[in-house]
Amino acid sequence: MDALLSSIDQLFTLSTLLTMLIGVIAGVVAAAIPGFTITMAIVLTQPLTFQMPPLQGIATMLAVYVGGSTGGLISAALLGIPGTPSSVATTFDAYPMARNGEPGRALAIGVWASFFGAVISAIVLILAAPPLALVAVKLGAWEYFSLIVFAMTVVASLVGRSVLRGLMSGLLGLLLASIGPDPMMGIPRFTFDTDLLAAGFPFLVVLIGIFAVSQLLGEVEDADQVRHGKALIASQVSFRPLDALRETLMRPLGLLRSSLVGVFIGAVPGAGGSIANLIAYDQARRASKTPEKFGTGTAEGVVASESGNSSTAGGGLIPLIALGIPGSAVDAVLMASLMIHGISIGPRLIMDHADLVYGMFLAMFVAAFLMLAVCMTSMRLFLKVTRVPRYVIVPVVLTCCVIGAYALNNRLTDVYLLLGVGLLGYILNKLHYPLAPLVLGVILGPIAETNLRRALMTNEDWSLFFTRPISLALLTLAVISVVMTLRHRWRTRSA
Amino acid sequence: MSADPTSTARSDSDRARGSALAHVIFNALLAIGFALLFWRAGDLPASMWEPLGSGSFPRLVLGALICFNLAIIVEQLRRLPHTSALAPGSIRRWLWQHRLALAVLALLTLYLLALPWLGFALASLSFLLATQILLGARSPRRLGVAGVIALVFSFGLAWVFADVFGIMLPAGVLG
C-alpha cells in the first residue's frame, strides 16, 4: 500500500503529467507521419529522460508508446499507409471507411478502440502480469515457429481475392527477409557482394516502400482529378466522437476479445503489435455475423485492429516487469532506460522497486486518458489532411518516406531499397496481390527461421512440432484457418 | 451519355486478357529468378552445430514460391482461351493512362540518384517543386504555395533534423 501511495505521489506531479502530455503528442505525431515510427520516437525521447527521476522518465516514454500506438491509425485511415507495422490491419477497414466519405468516423472509432484497448491491457497488466509472463516464456522454439506459421496463414487468408496470391505474397516477404546476414551465423546470403544488399531489407523500409510508394503512385493515376487539384476525399468531412463512442461500445465482447488477443500476443516476446492487430482482426471477422462486410469499411474491423494493437503496449510490459525480458524493440529501449537509472531488471524488480512498478501500471492508465484527450482535440486538425490537394500531399509524403528510410540507420542504401520495394509494391498492387502478408513476412521471417533452426538444433526430431501441445494447437489453427477460408470462398463462388 | 456497349465489352476483354498475360509473365520471370536463387542457396555453407545450414530456410521458401508461381501460371493460362486477343494499341493506352504515376516514379528515381550529389535539402527542394508542377501546380497562386511547401519540407526539415534531433541528413558534394 505504501508503494502504491508513493507511486501516486510521484506520478501525479505537474512536471510528470506535463512531460507525459508532450510524450503522447510526440508519439501520435511521429506514428502519424509515414516513415516515422514509435521506435524512432522512443529512441529520440530517451536521452531527454536521463535527467528526470526514474518514474517520470519511464512514464514519459510509456506516454510516447501509447500515443504512438494510436498515431499509426491516422495515416492508415486517411492515406491507406500504415504509420506503424501494428496498424496494417487498420488499413483494411478504416481506409475504405474514409474513402466512403467518413474519415472522421474512422478516426473517432479508432481512437476510442485504442483507448479501451490500452485501458483493458493496463487492467490485465495489474491483475495477471506474473502468471501470464510465466505462460509466455514457456513457449519454446517449436511454439514460436508454429505461431509464425499460424500468423502467416491468418494474414494470407485475410486479404485479397485469392489465398494463393496471399500466401505467395507472404512467402515473398520471407524471402526478402532472408537477404543479408543469416540471423544465426551472420553469413551473407543473396547479397551478390553489393553494399546495397549487405545489410538486408530493414522491415521499416519494406513497410514504407510497399505501402506508401505504391499507394501514392495509385493516387496520381487519374490525371484529370489530380490536375484539377482534387483532394483525397472530396465530400464534406464530419467528426462526431460521441456517436463513435456509442458505436465502439455496441460491441463490448469484440472489444474485449481483441484487447485480450493483443495483451497475450504482446506478452509473447518478439511477436508484438505487428501480429496482434491481424490476429485480432481475423478473430473479429470469424466471430462476426456479417463477415462479408470486413474489408469494405466496417466499424467492427476498425475496433478489432485498433484495440488489438493498442493493448500490446500493456502486454509487452508483462514479461519486462515480471521476468526482465523485453517483448519488442520499444520494450528493449524502456529496459535500457531503467538500467541507465540504476534499476536492475528481472524477477526481483517488483519486490525491490514496487513503487516504480505500480507507477508504470498507473502511467499506462494516465497515458491512455492523455492520448484520448490529445486525439479528440487534434483529430479535426488531422482531418484537414483530407482537404489537401493530391499534387501537394503526394510529393510531401514521398519526401517524408525518404527521410524516414534514411534516418533509420543513416544509410543511403536504404533509400535505394525503398525505391526498389516501392516499385515491387506498385506492380503487386496492380496485379491485385495483397501487400500486408509481404510486410508480415519480412517482420516474421527472421523470427521463424531462428526458431526453426534453434528447435532442430535442440532436437533433430521434426515430430516435436506436432507432439508439443501448444505447437500442435497453433499448427492445427493454421490448417483450420486455410481450410475455412478456402471453404468460404468456394461457397461464395458457387452461390 | 452512356458508354458504347461494344467498346465497354472490348475494354473488359482487354483487361481480362491483359491481366492474365501480366500474371503469366510476372510469375514466369519470378520463377526463373527464384530457381537461380535456389541453386545459389545450395552453395551457402552448412553448419556443424545444426542440421539446417544457412541455405536451408531460403531453399524451403524458394521451393514453395516456385510451386505457387507455377500454380498461378496454370490458373491464368486456363483463363486465357476465354478472352479475346488484345486490341491494337492496348499497351500504349495503358501507359498513357498511367503517365502521371510513371512520371512521378521517374522523378523519385532522379531525386534519389541526386541525393548523394546535391544533398537532402537541394535535392528535395527540386523534387518537391518539379513533382508539384507536374501534378498540377501551374497557376501563379498554386506555384507560390508549391514554392513555400518545397522550402519547408526541404531546408526546413533538414534544419529540424540537424538542430533538434541531431540527425544529419545527406549533405551532398555541394553541401
Side-chain angles (χ1 to χ4, degrees):
Chain A
M1 194 63 190
D2 287 348
L4 182 65
L5 291 174
S6 163
S7 65
I8 291 173
D9 202 32
Q10 290 175 60
L11 193 69
F12 290 92
T13 62
L14 185 65
S15 62
T16 306
L17 292 176
L18 195 66
T19 52
M20 283 184 75
L21 179 67
I22 296 169
V24 166
I25 296 170
V28 170
V29 172
I33 302 171
F36 294 61
T37 60
I38 309 174
T39 314
M40 204 189 281
I42 294 241
V43 169
L44 289 171
T45 312
Q46 193 189 31
L48 307 175
T49 63
F50 289 166
Q51 302 303 319
M52 299 176 189
L55 183 56
Q56 186 182 358
I58 295 297
T60 305
M61 290 171 69
L62 282 175
V64 177
Y65 193 3
V66 171
S69 301
T70 310
L73 153 79
I74 298 167
S75 57
L78 301 184
L79 302 171
I81 302 168
T84 62
S86 58
S87 47
V88 167
T90 308
T91 58
F92 300 164
D93 276 296
Y95 182 59
M97 191 184 278
R99 276 299 159 106
N100 293 339
E102 299 181 300
R105 182 173 163 234
L107 288 184
I109 293 174
V111 169
W112 281 115
S114 288
F115 168 73
F116 288 116
V119 168
I120 291 169
S121 80
I123 293 170
V124 177
L125 182 66
I126 293 168
L127 296 177
L132 253 181
L134 285 175
V135 174
V137 292
K138 271 196 179 151
L139 302 185
W142 299 267
E143 286 78 17
Y144 267 98
F145 180 74
S146 303
L147 174 67
I148 305 296
V149 172
F150 172 49
M152 292 302 295
T153 56
V154 164
V155 179
S157 61
L158 267 181
V159 283
R161 302 174 194 175
S162 147
V163 180
L164 201 60
R165 288 182 214 170
L167 286 170
M168 193 185 129
S169 176
L171 284 168
L172 208 52
L174 291 179
L175 178 67
L176 286 183
S178 72
I179 294 171
D182 156 5
M184 297 281 278
M185 294 154 71
I187 294 167
R189 294 188 299 202
F190 311 132
T191 59
F192 303 100
D193 296 325
T194 57
D195 288 342
L196 184 69
L197 298 172
F201 284 81
F203 75 82
L204 286 169
V205 170
V206 176
L207 176 82
I208 303 167
I210 212 89
F211 277 104
V213 176
S214 62
Q215 184 69 35
L216 292 169
L217 291 178
E219 290 293 348
V220 295
E221 278 177 1
D222 191 332
D224 284 341
Q225 286 196 354
V226 176
R227 289 210 166 126
H228 284 101
K230 194 148 187 192
L232 291 173
I233 293 154
S235 58
Q236 199 62 36
V237 169
S238 65
F239 183 68
R240 297 195 191 93
L242 288 179
D243 290 351
L245 172 64
R246 218 167 295 132
E247 263 194 284
T248 310
L249 289 178
M250 267 165 62
R251 303 166 178 88
L253 274 182
L255 190 64
L256 188 67
R257 184 183 46 239
S258 302
S259 303
L260 292 178
V261 166
V263 173
F264 187 75
I265 302 278
V268 178
S274 47
I275 305 183
N277 72 117
L278 289 153
I279 294 187
Y281 183 89
D282 179 59
Q283 293 304 313
R285 195 187 63 161
R286 287 182 198 284
S288 171
K289 286 176 188 153
T290 51
E292 71 284 354
K293 286 192 179 165
F294 276 68
T296 60
T298 175
E300 274 181 281
V302 183
V303 169
S305 169
E306 278 305 303
S307 54
N309 70 22
S310 291
S311 53
T312 53
L317 287 181
I318 292 171
L320 182 74
I321 289 173
L323 301 155
I325 299 169
S328 65
V330 174
D331 295 319
V333 181
L334 286 174
M335 185 169 150
S337 280
L338 285 168
M339 290 163 86
I340 286 165
H341 282 107
I343 295 159
S344 57
I345 309 289
R348 287 196 60 83
L349 177 71
I350 203 156
M351 287 179 260
D352 296 343
H353 300 279
D355 57 336
L356 183 77
V357 173
Y358 284 127
M360 286 168 76
F361 293 161
L362 288 175
M364 286 293 296
F365 277 110
V366 176
F369 280 95
L370 287 174
M371 178 277 290
L372 185 68
V374 166
C375 287
M376 286 303 169
T377 48
S378 63
M379 279 305 164
R380 284 191 173 84
L381 192 71
F382 281 112
L383 279 168
K384 291 198 189 300
V385 169
T386 58
R387 315 300 306 161
V388 178
R390 291 181 206 191
Y391 67 80
V392 172
I393 204 109
V394 169
V396 166
V397 176
L398 278 174
T399 309
C400 290
C401 293
V402 170
I403 299 176
Y406 176 80
L408 208 60
N409 297 304
N410 280 12
R411 271 199 309 250
L412 261 176
T413 48
D414 284 351
V415 173
Y416 300 128
L417 289 178
L418 174 82
L419 179 68
V421 171
L423 185 61
L424 175 70
Y426 188 57
I427 295 171
L428 291 175
N429 210 4
K430 293 266 69 161
L431 293 174
H432 305 293
Y433 284 82
L435 301 178
L438 191 147
V439 174
L440 259 288
V442 175
I443 296 172
L444 302 180
I447 308 175
E449 180 175 3
T450 307
N451 284 293
L452 176 66
R453 289 167 69 177
R454 200 173 281 159
L456 294 172
M457 217 193 286
T458 313
N459 191 330
E460 287 189 29
D461 185 3
W462 283 82
S463 68
L464 283 171
F465 285 101
F466 307 100
T467 52
R468 289 175 66 106
I470 300 177
S471 173
L472 177 67
L474 289 164
L475 288 176
T476 310
L477 283 173
V479 174
I480 290 172
S481 165
V482 173
V483 170
M484 280 182 67
T485 310
L486 287 175
R487 203 180 69 160
H488 171 73
R489 279 168 206 236
W490 184 74
R491 278 187 178 173
T492 319
R493 203 173 290 171
S494 49
Chain B
M1 197 174 76
S2 61
D4 173 13
T6 322
S7 69
T8 309
R10 177 93 232 171
S11 131
D12 285 347
S13 170
D14 270 5
R15 208 169 295 137
R17 191 171 184 86
S19 164
L21 281 174
H23 276 290
V24 170
I25 295 167
F26 180 65
N27 280 282
L29 289 174
L30 284 183
I32 293 168
F34 294 153
L36 289 173
L37 287 180
F38 188 91
W39 169 67
R40 203 181 160 96
D43 295 338
L44 288 167
S47 165
M48 59 189 294
W49 309 109
E50 52 169 335
L52 294 183
S54 204
S56 306
F57 186 77
R59 286 189 118 189
L60 200 69
V61 173
L62 285 161
L65 271 170
I66 294 169
C67 293
F68 281 119
N69 288 141
L70 296 177
I72 293 174
I73 290 173
V74 171
E75 181 190 63
Q76 297 299 324
L77 283 176
R78 283 171 58 194
R79 280 191 191 159
L80 268 182
H82 305 291
T83 59
S84 48
L86 282 178
S90 303
I91 295 174
R92 206 172 45 234
R93 206 164 39 246
W94 188 92
L95 288 172
W96 177 248
Q97 276 167 359
H98 293 77
R99 64 192 184 281
L100 275 189
L102 297 173
V104 171
L105 192 63
L107 283 175
L108 181 66
T109 309
L110 283 176
Y111 166 41
L112 299 184
L113 290 175
L115 264 182
W117 306 98
L118 297 179
F120 171 79
L122 264 182
S124 302
L125 180 79
S126 317
F127 169 71
L128 284 160
L129 265 181
T131 313
Q132 287 183 89
I133 292 169
L134 169 82
L135 295 179
R138 306 274 169 85
S139 67
R141 188 175 159 271
R142 283 185 179 185
L143 271 174
V145 174
V148 173
I149 286 168
L151 271 173
V152 169
F153 284 91
S154 55
F155 283 92
L157 274 184
W159 174 81
V160 168
F161 268 78
D163 287 14
V164 180
F165 299 138
I167 296 173
M168 299 305 293
L169 297 173
V173 179
L174 305 172

